[in-house]
Amino acid sequence: MRNGAMKLRQWLLCGLLACAHAQAAVPEIPRFRIMDAAQGLPSTTITALARDRQGYLWIATLDGLARYDGVGFRVWRHDPADPESLPSNVLQFVHVDTQDRLWIAAESSGLTMLDAARRQFRHYRMGNTPGMHSDEVFAITTVGDAVWFGGYGSGLCRLGPDGTVTRFDAGGGAPGTLPSKHILALERDGRGGVWIGTLAGLAHHDGKAITRVALPVAASPLVYSVTLDGERTWVGTSAGVFVREPDGRWTTPPWSAMFARPNALMALVNDGSGEYWLATQGGLWRTQGQGTPVPVARDSDDPDAGPLVQAVLRQPDGALWAGLPMRGLGYLRSDWRRIAALSPAQGFGGGIYQGMAPARAGGVWLTSTLGAVQRIDTATGRLTPLPWRRELLKRRHPRSLLEDDRGQLWVGLQQGLMRIGIADGALMHWTADGGPDAVPTLGRVEWLVQTGDGSIWLSTLDGELQRRDAVTGRVLDRITAESGHGLTATDIETLRVGPDGTLWLAGTQGLLRWEPSLRRLQPVPGMDPGRIFSFVFQGPDVVWVHRLTGLESWRRTPSGWVREQTLTPAAGVPAVESTGLQIDAGNRLWLATRRGMFRISPASAQVRSFGVRDGLSSQEFNDRALLLADDGVLVGGAADGSLVLLDTRYPDLPARPPNLVIDALQVTRDGL
């Protein structure tokens, strides 16, 4: 019935009946993992979601019934040669009853039941089931062993365990009748009754009789959804959203009018923290207490850009499933608040973020390949641009940043170095002009640090180090592979200031330390030579280094440094070049790579990876773009231009053993 009731239902849902059209320390930016046709989803238009006793997710779509088992999809479709198959591919609802049977509403096909063994469909239609007055079913629920259903022109129907259908119809204004014979929503009330949403208002069946229930608006609006949330009942209507309290009073959320037609509420779930996910005619939204709900899971900031979302479902562990039209089936982990991946939707469109440094006023300084220099508040994601020299910086391609102890911002450029007064914009600029304080001609400035004596150190891509006076900017030491300062290789991977306030350097020569009395880089005594990509200090006497062979911890002793622990690829540490290494307040290591972020707990030798499945938009982290802020937020720049904020203090989810289900057995004999 391509031009019939299915279109009518979509018409109703889209509002065309109208005459006119755990708190984390990072911003809350839910990022869904999307599954679509490439993973086996039959259609990106999802009309309903349900979960059975085994934990399978059932998805009603416009091209068949799908079951997701956590790995892949199994799909049931109509077979013209099999009258016992699914009667239509266009599905309007799916519901799991108390016996774990599936009840399916297919276009113009009445009611279909798939048994608990998932072997056989049984069809209930006007032609074979007395009492049914319509084959268009839009809503299904169960109370005990009875199945309640309704749709276009059907009235309210009860299918008893014996197969008998009892029908309740509209009767004008007569008491005990429905306000309309067209049903869009049904919800059991937890006390043996059923809430009924119709085209002309709300009604309730208490197990004995029907009562019309007046909503707190003058007219009787179209009711799109009814959702039981504990003792409260949420009702989505053409006039907005209303809540029936346990004592029978109606309350109206302050944002109710936002969700009147043509943005009416189609489905709602509590997220477990007192906030709600709202599936509406205008997309998916999330509440913010009494504040204005915000749109989520959309690619545009346009408030009218969201398509009709009909189905959301929350798992027992708090994870969320949502049907996202034109995109697919969306999955949001229950620990999604741990990570915020900031993209152009949040104002981040300034190229690739590489340079970053702590800001004395709070937050983190950022710079990108397109020249933007900004300070980000890691708690809110709010960006504050540097008010000075913006056009000049844009043309100079800044690469690295440092705010010194005098509140001056040093900016390493593609070819040059700047120092800008944050308060007044006062500028000093050094170029590759060949003078005594010039930067190298061919080297872009990749690292900037300030040591305990106040010196500013920089390193460049061609392997030169410079130590400069923080006040005058004058070059105090110029160190190259030929200068005799102990640097013999030009591959500089990481610069850090050690607990002793001096410069430490990692690269092809291993780990080196600047000895001020000798004005020379010295190998760390006792430590194995060989290339080191990243390193981080754990207190004054322990340093962790990362090589291709894994992570090593070294402890300072009176006779030199001694290796204490090694974590190799056999323990889960990836054999890949790292792009950064940090250590959090719990002494857990965070290793950034082009394969994702890895959290390593040395005490237990446990390795946990973070990638796109955890909410990252890219798991390729840029070189030198990893910083741990004072509030425990890890800031990282990714290859797709996004900025990652990861709360290292966010608690892990409790371990939940998965259900063991034998779905099928295959036997072979003699290799056949």
Side-chain angles (χ1 to χ4, degrees):
M1 185 179 172
R2 190 65 52 205
N3 297 315
M6 185 59 196
K7 281 196 170 182
L8 172 62
R9 182 174 187 268
Q10 297 296 322
W11 192 40
L12 298 175
L13 296 180
C14 293
L16 297 180
L17 279 178
C19 296
H21 275 212
Q23 295 298 321
V26 300
E28 291 192 350
I29 303 175
R31 184 176 294 276
F32 285 78
R33 178 162 58 92
I34 306 296
M35 286 165 278
D36 56 18
Q39 289 79 42
L41 184 70
S43 168
T44 61
T45 302
I46 295 169
T47 55
L49 297 168
R51 193 171 186 269
D52 68 15
R53 292 180 185 175
Q54 307 285 356
Y56 288 114
L57 180 71
W58 293 88
I59 308 118
T61 82
L62 294 193
D63 191 20
L65 176 69
R67 187 190 72 182
Y68 184 66
D69 61 8
V71 177
F73 293 91
R74 179 181 175 185
V75 177
W76 286 258
R77 287 191 170 103
H78 173 65
D79 180 357
D82 182 4
E84 294 187 355
S85 68
L86 200 65
S88 167
N89 292 321
V90 179
L91 305 187
Q92 299 172 158
F93 203 77
V94 63
H95 172 76
V96 178
D97 71 9
T98 55
Q99 300 177 49
D100 208 33
R101 299 174 300 180
L102 258 70
W103 293 88
I104 304 148
E107 180 187 50
S108 302
S109 302
L111 196 62
T112 294
M113 185 266 288
L114 178 61
D115 64 19
R118 311 300 184 236
R119 294 193 183 98
Q120 185 176 14
F121 289 104
R122 179 177 177 181
H123 308 299
Y124 298 84
R125 300 170 180 154
M126 292 173 61
N128 64 12
T129 308
M132 289 184 65
H133 283 228
S134 171
D135 281 337
E136 290 302 335
V137 177
F138 295 157
I140 309 168
T141 192
T142 48
V143 178
D145 292 332
V147 179
W148 295 78
F149 62 96
Y152 184 72
S154 68
L156 176 65
C157 298
R158 177 187 181 275
L159 176 64
D162 61 356
T164 302
V165 172
T166 304
R167 182 171 178 266
F168 304 86
D169 206 347
T177 62
L178 294 170
S180 168
K181 64 180 179 180
H182 306 301
I183 311 294
L184 282 183
L186 294 172
E187 175 80 328
R188 58 189 174 212
D189 66 5
R191 294 182 294 274
V194 178
W195 290 100
I196 309 127
T198 80
L199 288 188
L202 182 68
H204 181 261
H205 190 288
D206 63 2
K208 297 178 181 178
I210 288 176
T211 303
R212 299 188 185 193
V213 180
L215 290 158
V217 285
S220 296
L222 186 157
V223 176
Y224 292 96
S225 64
V226 184
T227 307
L228 189 68
D229 177 44
E231 294 295 315
R232 308 172 82 204
T233 304
W234 291 72
V235 182
T237 79
S238 56
V241 178
F242 307 102
V243 182
R244 186 177 173 88
E245 303 294 342
D247 60 4
R249 292 180 301 109
W250 286 101
T251 57
T252 303
W255 38 261
S256 170
M258 287 179 60
F259 300 100
R261 189 173 52 196
N263 190 30
L265 180 68
M266 312 308 300
L268 169 146
V269 292
N270 191 319
D271 76 347
S273 70
E275 300 297 345
Y276 293 89
W277 299 99
L278 311 175
T280 79
Q281 294 169 327
L284 185 64
W285 301 71
R286 187 167 184 274
T287 63
Q288 301 184 116
Q290 296 299 303
T292 302
V294 293
V296 297
R298 64 174 59 175
D299 298 323
S300 170
D301 291 326
D302 182 354
D304 298 321
L308 168 69
V309 176
Q310 301 180 59
V312 288
L313 184 145
R314 183 173 180 263
Q315 289 191 161
D317 66 355
L320 185 74
W321 295 96
L324 304 175
M326 298 181 290
R327 297 179 64 190
L329 177 65
Y331 173 74
L332 185 68
R333 294 172 56 94
S334 55
D335 61 350
W336 63 271
R337 294 178 183 84
R338 183 200 305 266
I339 293 175
L342 306 174
S343 63
Q346 291 80 41
F348 286 76
I352 306 299
Y353 287 90
Q354 289 185 318
M356 51 187 63
R360 290 161 62 90
V364 174
W365 286 106
L366 304 171
T367 189
S368 78
T369 52
L370 296 187
V373 176
Q374 302 160 309
R375 182 167 59 87
I376 184 173
D377 182 329
T378 55
T380 64
R382 186 177 299 112
L383 288 171
T384 303
L386 182 71
W388 319 106
R389 314 294 177 178
R390 278 189 264 180
E391 289 304 315
L392 181 60
L393 285 167
K394 188 175 295 186
R395 296 195 301 271
R396 300 289 180 173
H397 305 291
R399 309 289 300 187
S400 53
L401 291 169
L402 168 71
E403 184 177 353
D404 68 18
D405 56 10
R406 299 171 61 244
Q408 310 293 303
L409 189 66
W410 296 75
V411 186
L413 307 174
Q414 182 76 22
Q415 282 189 322
L417 176 68
M418 285 186 183
R419 191 184 72 191
I420 304 170
I422 296 173
D424 57 9
L427 176 69
M428 293 190 73
H429 187 193
W430 298 271
T431 62
D433 59 6
D437 299 321
V439 296
T441 304
L442 300 177
R444 66 187 185 209
V445 178
E446 302 218 306
W447 285 98
L448 282 165
V449 299
Q450 184 174 30
T451 51
D453 63 356
S455 299
I456 304 296
W457 287 83
L458 63 85
S459 73
T460 62
L461 184 63
D462 63 357
E464 180 171 321
L465 278 172
Q466 292 183 357
R467 183 170 73 93
R468 291 178 177 255
D469 182 272
V471 177
T472 65
R474 183 169 60 89
V475 174
L476 304 176
D477 285 292
R478 190 184 298 270
I479 302 166
T480 67
E482 297 81 27
S483 67
H485 289 86
L487 185 69
T488 60
T490 59
D491 291 331
I492 298 173
E493 301 287 353
T494 305
L495 294 187
R496 280 189 181 275
V497 179
D500 55 4
T502 61
L503 181 78
W504 293 60
L505 177 152
T508 305
Q509 291 177 251
L511 195 60
L512 306 177
R513 175 185 174 275
W514 178 254
E515 178 52 63
S517 62
L518 301 175
R519 292 180 58 219
R520 181 180 175 83
L521 289 164
Q522 298 280 85
V524 174
M527 186 174 292
D528 294 345
R531 189 174 186 181
I532 292 173
F533 295 99
S534 307
F535 69 99
V536 68
F537 292 95
Q538 182 181 344
D541 298 318
V542 176
V543 62
W544 284 90
V545 302
H546 179 249
R547 313 176 195 261
L548 276 175
T549 53
L551 283 160
E552 304 166 2
S553 69
W554 293 78
R555 179 174 292 277
R556 187 202 312 266
T557 70
S559 58
W561 290 76
V562 177
R563 181 164 43 215
E564 281 195 319
Q565 188 174 1
T566 301
L567 298 169
T568 67
V573 178
V576 62
E577 297 83 352
S578 58
T579 60
L581 180 64
Q582 297 288 346
I583 189 166
D584 66 19
N587 289 328
R588 298 176 302 183
L589 299 163
W590 295 83
L591 186 72
T593 76
R594 291 179 180 85
R595 296 181 193 170
M597 181 74 69
F598 294 83
R599 186 189 69 191
I600 301 99
S601 303
S604 61
Q606 290 184 336
V607 179
R608 158 81 153 91
S609 65
F610 293 84
V612 293
R613 295 176 68 92
D614 298 277
L616 302 180
S617 61
S618 169
Q619 58 191 38
E620 297 182 51
F621 283 85
N622 301 323
D623 290 325
R624 306 175 308 281
L626 189 70
L627 184 147
L628 185 65
D630 291 340
D631 59 0
V633 173
L634 198 67
V635 184
D640 67 345
S642 63
L643 188 79
V644 176
L645 304 179
L646 188 154
D647 184 358
T648 63
R649 301 177 183 178
Y650 194 85
D652 286 343
L653 298 175
R656 292 178 179 268
N659 293 335
L660 177 61
V661 178
I662 299 175
D663 184 57
L665 293 174
Q666 183 175 4
V667 178
T668 60
R669 178 177 296 172
D670 298 329
L672 299 176

